Amino acid sequence: MSEGGNNFLGSAAKQKMLQALFGIVALVFGLLYVFQMNEASMKAYTIRDLENQRQSLAHDSDRLLTEIDRLRSLASISDRQAFLGLVEPVEVKYMKISSNEVALGR
């Protein structure tokens, strides 16, 4: 009868050990899950931040292209011509150069 009693105590000890092992495994998996979720949320935040930066840069690029077009327009050039006091030439003279030299050496 004492063997049956030891067997029962051994079974109860095994059951407690299995419960403790199960608890530790569950705790480890829970911590891994929390760590993985934290990593995923950090990556999502980084992606959202980079997407906002991309949109801002695209907006700035469009604005700058519009500004370039405005400054290249004939009306803008005419306004700057008047502001700088530039006048149209009365007579244009062209020079015909027979050699390939562009500057005279001294």
Side-chain angles (χ1 to χ4, degrees):
M1 182 156 158
S2 62
E3 287 181 24
N6 286 341
N7 197 9
F8 177 74
L9 290 177
S11 174
K14 285 181 184 178
Q15 189 176 14
K16 285 189 179 189
M17 182 154 324
L18 284 175
Q19 286 176 348
L21 183 62
F22 178 74
I24 291 171
V25 169
L27 180 65
V28 168
F29 278 119
L31 290 174
L32 288 174
Y33 176 77
V34 168
F35 179 73
Q36 184 180 8
M37 288 284 101
N38 185 41
E39 288 292 318
S41 66
M42 287 174 48
K43 287 179 183 177
Y45 175 77
T46 302
I47 289 171
R48 186 175 59 237
D49 188 44
L50 290 172
E51 179 64 24
N52 288 340
Q53 287 179 5
R54 187 196 66 78
Q55 288 177 354
S56 176
L57 290 172
H59 175 72
D60 289 347
S61 177
D62 289 344
R63 184 184 53 80
L64 289 173
L65 288 173
T66 302
E67 182 70 10
I68 288 170
D69 289 342
R70 185 188 67 79
L71 291 173
R72 284 184 177 167
S73 71
L74 188 56
S76 175
I77 293 172
S78 297
D79 290 345
R80 284 181 282 163
Q81 176 186 2
F83 176 75
L84 294 173
L86 301 176
V87 294
E88 291 188 33
V90 177
E91 181 181 348
V92 178
K93 292 185 181 178
Y94 294 96
M95 294 175 42
K96 186 172 186 178
I97 300 175
S98 59
S99 70
N100 289 335
E101 295 179 23
V102 292
L104 297 175
R106 292 184 192 222

